[in-house]
Amino acid sequence: MRIGNNPNKEISQEQSFFIHQIIVPVYIPNEEGYFLDGLKILKICLDSLFNTIHDRTFITIVNNGSCSNVVEYLNDLFEQKKIKELIHTDNIGKINAVFKGLSGNNIELVTVTDADVMFLSDWQTETIKVFSEIPKAGVVGIVPQFNMFKRYCGNVIFDNFFNKNLKFLPVKNQESMIHFYDSIGWDRNYNQDYLKFALGLNYGDVKCFVGSGHFVATYKKDVFEELLSFIGGKKAAGIGEDYIDNKPLKKGYWRLTTYDNYAFHMGNIYEDWMQKIPNKIPAVNYSNLNFIKRKNVSGISYFIKNKFFTKLIAVNWVSRSFMKWKKLPEQMVKKY
């Protein structure tokens, strides 16, 4: 039985106060073996996040089937209002967990991050700077990595092919780049030239690298205007990442990374250096960003830039000519 009308029916939805959402899928099913230090590392991740964000940031945690100690910790954070949204699910896979975090919110920027990332001071400011100065930026990473320009960056290179400001730039923070590959278990027998130069872009007052990794990156929300509700398979890992990586290309957005390093990947083993969590920074209010939303590019444009051109520039002699033209030191070109 219902008597009267719900007064909330006549209230319009207000513009969100928040301008940046951060989605953290969390999967720590136990505290043994691979996951022994999982909760400890999660706490470092979230503490570093709390200390480096402004107060118009909306944090969404998607608990993807974690154990009771993790659930208790996350519930406590929610009660303390340190996080704005907490979603508990069974293990549905990282990508489907991200989909849950995306739904029901309309916030201009969305950072998707693994739960083993230590955020560093100024990561948010530098990310917003890239988006603000480069209108076509659709994805911005904060950890420079090797050869990022070779994946999902055909449109960036095509659009800037004759731009003299698209060129190989010196890597600013070699130690952090080494640290990343150590953190994912690589030996140091990779091409040492990768530590010296990477394809980048000088765009006005902003310098950045072309391409971005997966484990932490920020997207313009309109990239996700149309999403599948679920991706199946083996926890949707590879298929899901490919699906999300293609979404910005459909709108002609560029995939970029900040010139300096603004986060560390911790992995699953606790180490002493992880004690150095960034100090709390003063809260900063940013005005609404009001980015211009882009429409989907034509199928022909998408095919030329992201299929045909990508295959063409991957041909050995074309690739070497391109790298030489874009100022990679000549002695590095053959093996880069």
Side-chain angles (χ1 to χ4, degrees):
M1 179 177 180
R2 178 186 297 160
I3 300 176
N5 294 316
N6 186 336
N8 290 315
K9 285 185 176 181
E10 304 302 321
I11 298 176
S12 299
Q13 185 70 41
E14 295 182 359
Q15 178 75 24
S16 175
F17 166 78
F18 301 100
I19 62 172
H20 194 160
Q21 181 187 15
I22 300 170
I23 300 174
V24 189
V26 177
Y27 176 62
I28 306 173
N30 54 60
E31 293 181 80
E32 303 169 358
Y34 182 89
F35 300 100
L36 180 63
D37 293 334
L39 179 54
K40 192 171 187 177
I41 286 171
L42 173 63
K43 290 179 178 180
I44 294 169
C45 169
L46 295 182
D47 284 344
S48 74
L49 192 56
F50 300 147
N51 284 357
T52 56
I53 56 174
H54 59 66
D55 56 6
R56 296 186 67 181
T57 306
F58 187 99
I59 299 178
T60 297
I61 307 291
V62 185
N63 167 36
N64 195 22
S66 297
C67 64
S68 59
N69 284 346
V70 174
V71 171
E72 183 180 351
Y73 166 66
L74 294 176
N75 285 339
D76 187 52
L77 290 181
F78 185 71
E79 290 296 324
Q80 295 179 53
K81 302 187 184 301
K82 287 189 173 184
I83 56 180
K84 301 297 181 183
E85 184 177 45
L86 176 58
I87 302 168
H88 292 294
T89 76
D90 289 331
N91 181 14
I92 56 174
K94 175 184 174 180
I95 299 302
N96 292 313
V98 170
F99 290 172
K100 282 188 174 291
L102 286 167
S103 63
N105 294 298
N106 187 26
I107 301 172
E108 282 191 288
L109 290 180
V110 181
T111 297
V112 178
T113 178
D114 288 354
D116 59 354
V117 174
M118 178 187 286
F119 290 85
L120 304 180
S121 299
D122 298 326
W123 77 269
Q124 199 172 36
T125 300
E126 294 301 318
T127 297
I128 290 174
K129 186 185 295 183
V130 176
F131 280 113
S132 298
E133 295 294 324
I134 305 179
K136 282 192 173 182
V139 187
V140 177
I142 54 176
V143 179
Q145 296 162 47
F146 298 161
N147 286 328
M148 296 185 297
F149 70 95
K150 294 183 178 180
R151 286 179 59 82
Y152 303 103
C153 294
N155 62 347
V156 187
I157 298 173
F158 185 95
D159 292 346
N160 292 281
F161 195 76
F162 296 105
N163 181 356
K164 65 181 181 181
N165 291 319
L166 175 70
K167 58 186 177 182
F168 282 85
L169 302 173
V171 171
K172 182 174 182 178
N173 196 329
Q174 293 186 13
E175 288 186 6
S176 293
M177 190 174 280
I178 292 169
H179 181 281
F180 171 74
Y181 287 98
D182 285 350
S183 76
I184 59 174
W186 282 29
D187 293 327
R188 296 188 182 183
N189 56 1
Y190 42 73
N191 188 338
Q192 296 301 297
D193 291 339
Y194 295 156
L195 297 171
K196 299 173 184 176
F197 286 88
L199 187 65
L201 185 63
N202 282 322
Y203 203 102
D205 294 330
V206 170
K207 187 181 290 186
C208 58
F209 288 118
V210 175
S212 171
H214 290 104
F215 77 102
V216 56
T218 301
Y219 301 77
K220 283 181 178 172
K221 181 61 182 280
D222 68 307
V223 165
F224 302 114
E225 282 180 336
E226 298 176 4
L227 280 179
L228 295 175
S229 60
F230 180 82
I231 292 181
K234 293 183 179 179
K235 301 307 179 188
I239 297 173
E241 286 183 350
D242 286 342
Y243 174 74
I244 286 184
D245 286 338
N246 268 294
K247 297 298 287 183
L249 303 180
K250 298 289 187 180
K251 289 181 175 285
Y253 279 134
W254 296 348
R255 192 176 187 92
L256 307 169
T257 289
T258 54
Y259 186 53
D260 204 352
N261 180 77
Y262 290 100
F264 288 130
H265 178 257
M266 291 184 282
N268 65 316
I269 303 297
Y270 175 79
E271 299 173 76
D272 289 342
W273 65 266
M274 298 175 188
Q275 298 177 37
K276 299 178 181 178
I277 298 173
N279 294 325
K280 178 72 176 175
I281 60 172
V284 177
N285 272 328
Y286 290 91
S287 59
N288 286 330
L289 302 172
N290 293 322
F291 295 127
I292 296 173
K293 293 185 177 181
R294 295 176 60 85
K295 297 180 179 179
N296 284 356
V297 299
S298 70
I300 294 175
S301 175
Y302 174 85
F303 174 80
I304 290 173
K305 294 181 182 182
N306 301 298
K307 299 295 183 180
F308 174 77
F309 178 74
T310 299
K311 287 187 177 180
L312 175 64
I313 204 168
V315 175
N316 280 338
W317 72 267
V318 177
S319 177
R320 290 174 185 174
S321 298
F322 171 76
M323 289 188 284
K324 186 176 180 180
W325 183 37
K326 290 301 178 180
K327 309 299 182 184
L328 183 67
E330 192 166 352
Q331 68 273 18
M332 297 182 184
V333 169
K334 189 173 182 180
K335 294 184 179 180
Y336 195 89

